[in-house]
Amino acid sequence: MEEEGQITKGKYAADISSIKEAHDRIKSLVLKTPVLSSASLDAMSGRQLHFKCENFQKGGAFKFRGACNAVFSLNDEEASKGVITHSSGNHAAALALAAKLRGIPAYIVIPKNAPTCKVENVKRYGGQVIWSEANMRSREEVANKVWQETGAIFIHPYNDGRILSGQGTISLEFLEQAPQIDTLVVPISGGGLISGVALAAKSINPAIRILAAEPKGADDAAQSKAAGRIITLPETNTIADGLRAFLGDFTWPVVRDLVEDIITVEDSEIIKAMKLCFEILKIVVEPSGAIGLAAVLSETFQKNPAWKDCKHIGIVVSGGNVDMAVLWDSLKK
C-alpha cells in the first residue's frame, strides 16, 4: 500500500501529509489524550469500545488541535495582527488559547446564546469577546466588522484545511494506541472533526469504517448524505450545543465520499449516554462528546446487519465543556 492509502493528494482540503505536518507542528503543544475502555460498556454494546478522550485536551475539547495548527501555520507578519473567529463554543476557547501561546491577540465573536462555561473559557485564555446576535448572519457581519478594524486573520471553526489537518492528528494517535479498531464513530456538525479523522484513518487503514453520530434535532448531515448535496436547516433543536453547525464546502466532499453512514439519535439517548460516561467511565463529557456512545447503543446501530461485524469500535469523545446547570435541569425532567 502506498503511503497515501487510496486518497489522491490534492483531492480534499487536507491529506495524510498535511495531517502528519500538523502533528509535527503541534505535538509539543497538544496533549496526547488517553484511550479508555470499560467492560460494562462493552457488555452493553456487545462490542469492544475504545474511547479517545479529547475532553482531556487543553481547552477541554479536540478543537485545540485544529486551532493550534492554524495559528502556528501563520508567518510572523500574518500572526502579528492576531486572529479572529465566530463561534459559540469550543473553537472560540481553542483559538484564544492557541493565540495566547503564540503571543498574539484573538478576537472572538460569540452569539448571545452561547453556553456560559464556553464563554468563560474564552475569557480565561485571554480572548477578546465581541458579542453578536444568535444567528449566523449577525455572527458573520460582526466578525467582518472586526476584521476591517484590525486586519486579523480569520480562522473558520471547521471549513479550513489547516483545521481539518489539526483534527486529523487524532487518528494518528488513536490508531497507534488501539490498532485493532475496525470502525470509528465520530460526532458530526460542521464536519471538521470527522473529515480530518476520516482522511487520516482511511490513509492508515483503507478498510476502516467511519460512522458519524448526529442529533435528530440537527440532522442536516444525514439529510445531506441522503440528498447527495449540502442541506441546511431553518433551525436546529438539540441539547448538543456543539453539533448545530452545517457542513462546509471543504468538509462535505469528505463526508460524502469517506463516511459510510450517519446515525441519528434523540436527545434522550444523548443524555443517557452522558450519564453512562459520568457513572461508568468517570469522565465529564458534554452532550456532543457523548453522542458517539449514544449512537453505538442505539437501536439503529444495534439492529443494522451492515454493522454486525464492527467488533472494535473507536469512539471520539469530542469534549467535556458542559454547563452543569443544563445537565442537572435535564436530569430533573
Side-chain angles (χ1 to χ4, degrees):
M1 185 182 95
E2 61 175 347
E3 193 198 24
E4 305 297 328
Q6 299 170 326
I7 299 163
T8 319
K9 192 171 171 64
K11 186 176 179 185
Y12 302 110
D15 57 39
I16 191 67
S17 58
S18 71
I19 292 164
K20 284 178 174 173
E21 282 165 19
H23 176 69
D24 290 339
R25 185 177 290 120
I26 68 177
K27 66 184 175 194
S28 64
L29 301 162
V30 303
L31 298 178
K32 182 176 182 177
T33 51
V35 173
L36 300 183
S37 59
S38 154
S40 302
L41 293 176
D42 288 355
M44 282 175 73
S45 65
R47 313 288 205 283
Q48 286 197 290
L49 306 181
H50 310 267
F51 295 89
K52 178 67 166 158
C53 293
E54 286 294 295
N55 53 314
F56 293 143
Q57 188 52 261
K58 289 178 187 174
F62 75 92
K63 294 271 190 183
F64 182 62
R65 294 175 183 267
C68 227
N69 188 49
V71 166
F72 284 85
S73 296
L74 300 174
N75 66 39
D76 289 346
E77 190 185 345
E78 290 169 327
S80 66
K81 294 191 170 93
V83 287
I84 179 172
T85 199
H86 55 78
S87 163
S88 61
N90 291 326
H91 174 69
L95 192 67
L97 179 54
K100 184 183 178 185
L101 293 177
R102 179 114 194 223
I104 61 174
Y107 306 97
I108 314 290
V109 176
I110 300 183
K112 287 172 180 168
N113 65 341
T116 310
C117 65
K118 295 187 178 180
V119 179
E120 291 306 315
N121 277 349
V122 173
K123 291 177 176 171
R124 187 181 303 132
Y125 299 136
Q128 295 184 37
V129 174
I130 301 118
W131 296 101
S132 78
E133 296 305 316
N135 62 69
M136 192 54 78
R137 203 173 112 189
S138 171
R139 280 166 56 159
E140 288 172 347
E141 282 172 359
V142 174
N144 196 40
K145 185 168 173 282
V146 177
W147 170 72
Q148 285 171 345
E149 289 166 5
T150 61
I153 303 278
F154 182 72
I155 310 278
H156 195 278
Y158 52 86
N159 205 39
D160 183 311
R162 299 165 297 188
I163 297 285
L164 267 62
S165 298
Q167 319 312 23
T169 62
I170 290 171
S171 289
L172 302 185
E173 292 176 11
F174 204 0
L175 297 182
E176 183 187 84
Q177 290 164 307
Q180 68 274 44
I181 288 173
D182 54 43
T183 308
L184 286 168
V185 180
V186 187
I188 191 165
S189 179
L193 173 60
I194 199 166
S195 295
V197 163
L199 287 164
K202 293 260 189 189
S203 293
I204 294 164
N205 172 12
I208 204 165
R209 290 164 163 168
I210 312 287
L211 303 177
E214 185 171 50
K216 282 196 172 140
D219 66 345
D220 57 289
Q223 289 189 36
S224 301
K225 194 93 169 124
R229 61 186 172 84
I230 296 180
I231 301 279
T232 58
L233 307 174
E235 60 178 5
T236 58
N237 182 17
T238 174
I239 190 177
D241 60 272
L243 301 179
R244 294 173 185 156
F246 304 133
L247 297 167
D249 54 353
F250 282 6
T251 56
W252 160 242
V254 186
V255 173
R256 180 191 64 206
D257 300 347
L258 301 184
V259 174
E260 269 78 1
D261 201 1
I262 298 177
I263 300 160
T264 57
V265 294
E266 300 286 357
D267 275 14
S268 57
E269 295 175 278
I270 295 173
I271 293 165
K272 189 176 141 200
M274 276 179 82
K275 269 191 86 175
L276 292 171
C277 289
F278 275 69
E279 292 171 359
I280 297 177
L281 286 178
K282 312 295 180 200
I283 60 172
V284 175
V285 299
E286 60 190 271
S288 311
I291 196 170
L293 176 59
V296 169
L297 296 177
S298 71
E299 222 166 80
T300 316
F301 179 80
Q302 290 287 330
K303 295 196 167 167
N304 187 336
W307 313 128
K308 69 179 190 301
D309 54 347
C310 298
K311 302 279 191 242
H312 287 274
I313 300 179
I315 294 174
V316 178
V317 179
S318 52
N321 294 319
V322 63
D323 246 335
M324 288 302 183
V326 175
L327 173 63
W328 306 137
D329 290 348
S330 70
L331 294 179
K332 278 182 212 150
K333 282 176 188 165

mmCIF file of all heavy atoms in Angstrom, residues 17 22 24 52 56 77 99 101 121 132 170 229 261 266 276 294 305 328 330 332:
data_model
loop_
_atom_site.group_PDB
_atom_site.id
_atom_site.type_symbol
_atom_site.label_atom_id
_atom_site.label_comp_id
_atom_site.label_asym_id
_atom_site.label_seq_id
_atom_site.Cartn_x
_atom_site.Cartn_y
_atom_site.Cartn_z
ATOM 1 N N SER A 17 -0.370 13.766 4.328
ATOM 2 C CA SER A 17 0.889 14.521 4.505
ATOM 3 C C SER A 17 0.644 15.823 5.264
ATOM 4 O O SER A 17 1.428 16.192 6.148
ATOM 5 C CB SER A 17 1.600 14.763 3.165
ATOM 6 O OG SER A 17 0.759 15.450 2.280
ATOM 7 N N ALA A 22 0.918 18.662 10.439
ATOM 8 C CA ALA A 22 0.222 19.268 11.577
ATOM 9 C C ALA A 22 0.677 18.599 12.876
ATOM 10 O O ALA A 22 0.946 19.275 13.873
ATOM 11 C CB ALA A 22 -1.289 19.125 11.411
ATOM 12 N N ASP A 24 3.514 17.142 13.536
ATOM 13 C CA ASP A 24 4.870 17.598 13.887
ATOM 14 C C ASP A 24 4.842 19.017 14.452
ATOM 15 O O ASP A 24 5.586 19.352 15.371
ATOM 16 C CB ASP A 24 5.791 17.546 12.661
ATOM 17 C CG ASP A 24 6.100 16.108 12.237
ATOM 18 O OD1 ASP A 24 5.946 15.203 13.090
ATOM 19 O OD2 ASP A 24 6.472 15.896 11.073
ATOM 20 N N LYS A 52 -11.568 7.637 22.835
ATOM 21 C CA LYS A 52 -10.481 8.614 22.705
ATOM 22 C C LYS A 52 -10.938 9.896 23.403
ATOM 23 O O LYS A 52 -11.835 10.604 22.924
ATOM 24 C CB LYS A 52 -10.182 8.867 21.223
ATOM 25 C CG LYS A 52 -9.084 9.901 20.951
ATOM 26 C CD LYS A 52 -7.709 9.450 21.392
ATOM 27 C CE LYS A 52 -6.603 10.325 20.816
ATOM 28 N NZ LYS A 52 -5.367 10.233 21.622
ATOM 29 N N PHE A 56 -10.189 15.582 27.655
ATOM 30 C CA PHE A 56 -8.999 15.889 28.454
ATOM 31 C C PHE A 56 -8.013 16.799 27.713
ATOM 32 O O PHE A 56 -6.960 17.131 28.247
ATOM 33 C CB PHE A 56 -8.264 14.602 28.849
ATOM 34 C CG PHE A 56 -9.024 13.715 29.796
ATOM 35 C CD1 PHE A 56 -8.956 12.336 29.683
ATOM 36 C CD2 PHE A 56 -9.813 14.256 30.805
ATOM 37 C CE1 PHE A 56 -9.645 11.508 30.552
ATOM 38 C CE2 PHE A 56 -10.511 13.430 31.685
ATOM 39 C CZ PHE A 56 -10.425 12.046 31.558
ATOM 40 N N GLU A 77 4.403 37.859 10.049
ATOM 41 C CA GLU A 77 3.688 39.064 9.618
ATOM 42 C C GLU A 77 2.177 38.867 9.737
ATOM 43 O O GLU A 77 1.453 39.727 10.239
ATOM 44 C CB GLU A 77 4.062 39.413 8.169
ATOM 45 C CG GLU A 77 3.541 40.781 7.756
ATOM 46 C CD GLU A 77 3.800 41.089 6.279
ATOM 47 O OE1 GLU A 77 4.630 40.381 5.660
ATOM 48 O OE2 GLU A 77 3.157 42.002 5.764
ATOM 49 N N ALA A 99 -3.780 31.311 20.385
ATOM 50 C CA ALA A 99 -3.248 32.662 20.168
ATOM 51 C C ALA A 99 -2.427 33.120 21.372
ATOM 52 O O ALA A 99 -1.360 33.732 21.225
ATOM 53 C CB ALA A 99 -4.400 33.635 19.915
ATOM 54 N N LEU A 101 -0.741 31.232 23.386
ATOM 55 C CA LEU A 101 0.540 30.515 23.350
ATOM 56 C C LEU A 101 1.493 31.129 22.325
ATOM 57 O O LEU A 101 2.705 31.109 22.499
ATOM 58 C CB LEU A 101 0.331 29.029 23.036
ATOM 59 C CG LEU A 101 -0.393 28.209 24.123
ATOM 60 C CD1 LEU A 101 -0.614 26.778 23.657
ATOM 61 C CD2 LEU A 101 0.396 28.218 25.430
ATOM 62 N N ASN A 121 -14.388 30.128 29.299
ATOM 63 C CA ASN A 121 -13.124 29.566 28.791
ATOM 64 C C ASN A 121 -12.393 30.568 27.902
ATOM 65 O O ASN A 121 -11.179 30.736 28.004
ATOM 66 C CB ASN A 121 -13.381 28.283 27.987
ATOM 67 C CG ASN A 121 -13.511 27.058 28.873
ATOM 68 O OD1 ASN A 121 -13.211 27.106 30.061
ATOM 69 N ND2 ASN A 121 -13.966 25.963 28.293
ATOM 70 N N SER A 132 -22.451 38.965 19.415
ATOM 71 C CA SER A 132 -23.317 39.096 18.230
ATOM 72 C C SER A 132 -24.696 38.553 18.589
ATOM 73 O O SER A 132 -24.869 37.933 19.642
ATOM 74 C CB SER A 132 -22.755 38.300 17.051
ATOM 75 O OG SER A 132 -23.032 36.914 17.207
ATOM 76 N N ILE A 170 -5.822 13.335 15.576
ATOM 77 C CA ILE A 170 -6.481 12.389 16.495
ATOM 78 C C ILE A 170 -6.306 10.959 15.999
ATOM 79 O O ILE A 170 -5.993 10.050 16.771
ATOM 80 C CB ILE A 170 -7.982 12.727 16.640
ATOM 81 C CG1 ILE A 170 -8.162 14.034 17.422
ATOM 82 C CG2 ILE A 170 -8.747 11.589 17.309
ATOM 83 C CD1 ILE A 170 -9.585 14.549 17.434
ATOM 84 N N ARG A 229 -26.183 16.315 -1.615
ATOM 85 C CA ARG A 229 -25.746 17.718 -1.675
ATOM 86 C C ARG A 229 -25.931 18.327 -0.288
ATOM 87 O O ARG A 229 -26.646 17.768 0.540
ATOM 88 C CB ARG A 229 -26.555 18.512 -2.709
ATOM 89 C CG ARG A 229 -28.029 18.566 -2.406
ATOM 90 C CD ARG A 229 -28.863 19.234 -3.506
ATOM 91 N NE ARG A 229 -30.294 19.092 -3.236
ATOM 92 C CZ ARG A 229 -30.995 19.889 -2.441
ATOM 93 N NH1 ARG A 229 -30.407 20.913 -1.835
ATOM 94 N NH2 ARG A 229 -32.285 19.687 -2.239
ATOM 95 N N ASP A 261 -21.833 5.980 6.946
ATOM 96 C CA ASP A 261 -23.228 6.190 7.330
ATOM 97 C C ASP A 261 -23.289 7.226 8.447
ATOM 98 O O ASP A 261 -22.290 7.482 9.117
ATOM 99 C CB ASP A 261 -23.840 4.865 7.812
ATOM 100 C CG ASP A 261 -25.370 4.860 7.746
ATOM 101 O OD1 ASP A 261 -25.956 5.876 7.304
ATOM 102 O OD2 ASP A 261 -25.971 3.843 8.135
ATOM 103 N N GLU A 266 -31.800 10.556 19.366
ATOM 104 C CA GLU A 266 -32.629 11.521 20.110
ATOM 105 C C GLU A 266 -31.821 12.145 21.251
ATOM 106 O O GLU A 266 -30.886 11.525 21.770
ATOM 107 C CB GLU A 266 -33.855 10.813 20.714
ATOM 108 C CG GLU A 266 -34.778 10.152 19.710
ATOM 109 C CD GLU A 266 -35.630 11.150 18.930
ATOM 110 O OE1 GLU A 266 -35.553 12.368 19.213
ATOM 111 O OE2 GLU A 266 -36.363 10.702 18.036
ATOM 112 N N LEU A 276 -23.953 7.584 31.468
ATOM 113 C CA LEU A 276 -23.066 6.409 31.472
ATOM 114 C C LEU A 276 -21.594 6.833 31.518
ATOM 115 O O LEU A 276 -20.785 6.209 32.210
ATOM 116 C CB LEU A 276 -23.326 5.540 30.232
ATOM 117 C CG LEU A 276 -24.683 4.820 30.191
ATOM 118 C CD1 LEU A 276 -24.899 4.180 28.830
ATOM 119 C CD2 LEU A 276 -24.787 3.779 31.293
ATOM 120 N N ALA A 294 -23.894 7.130 22.438
ATOM 121 C CA ALA A 294 -25.344 7.057 22.187
ATOM 122 C C ALA A 294 -25.630 6.343 20.867
ATOM 123 O O ALA A 294 -26.531 5.507 20.781
ATOM 124 C CB ALA A 294 -25.944 8.464 22.182
ATOM 125 N N PRO A 305 -27.826 -4.973 10.218
ATOM 126 C CA PRO A 305 -26.924 -6.088 9.903
ATOM 127 C C PRO A 305 -25.613 -5.637 9.258
ATOM 128 O O PRO A 305 -24.602 -6.338 9.350
ATOM 129 C CB PRO A 305 -27.748 -6.954 8.936
ATOM 130 C CG PRO A 305 -28.856 -6.072 8.438
ATOM 131 C CD PRO A 305 -29.118 -5.069 9.516
ATOM 132 N N TRP A 328 -28.038 19.267 35.202
ATOM 133 C CA TRP A 328 -28.882 18.928 36.340
ATOM 134 C C TRP A 328 -30.354 19.183 36.009
ATOM 135 O O TRP A 328 -31.212 18.402 36.407
ATOM 136 C CB TRP A 328 -28.473 19.711 37.589
ATOM 137 C CG TRP A 328 -27.029 19.593 37.956
ATOM 138 C CD1 TRP A 328 -26.183 20.590 38.366
ATOM 139 C CD2 TRP A 328 -26.201 18.398 37.936
ATOM 140 N NE1 TRP A 328 -24.913 20.095 38.583
ATOM 141 C CE2 TRP A 328 -24.892 18.776 38.328
ATOM 142 C CE3 TRP A 328 -26.431 17.063 37.610
ATOM 143 C CZ2 TRP A 328 -23.837 17.862 38.418
ATOM 144 C CZ3 TRP A 328 -25.377 16.147 37.691
ATOM 145 C CH2 TRP A 328 -24.106 16.536 38.090
ATOM 146 N N SER A 330 -31.759 18.894 33.106
ATOM 147 C CA SER A 330 -32.218 17.839 32.198
ATOM 148 C C SER A 330 -32.459 16.532 32.970
ATOM 149 O O SER A 330 -33.335 15.748 32.626
ATOM 150 C CB SER A 330 -31.224 17.613 31.070
ATOM 151 O OG SER A 330 -30.046 17.013 31.553
ATOM 152 N N LYS A 332 -33.542 16.375 36.027
ATOM 153 C CA LYS A 332 -34.730 16.543 36.887
ATOM 154 C C LYS A 332 -36.022 16.282 36.111
ATOM 155 O O LYS A 332 -37.041 15.939 36.684
ATOM 156 C CB LYS A 332 -34.784 17.994 37.411
ATOM 157 C CG LYS A 332 -33.888 18.239 38.627
ATOM 158 C CD LYS A 332 -34.060 19.688 39.088
ATOM 159 C CE LYS A 332 -32.766 20.223 39.685
ATOM 160 N NZ LYS A 332 -32.642 21.658 39.477
#
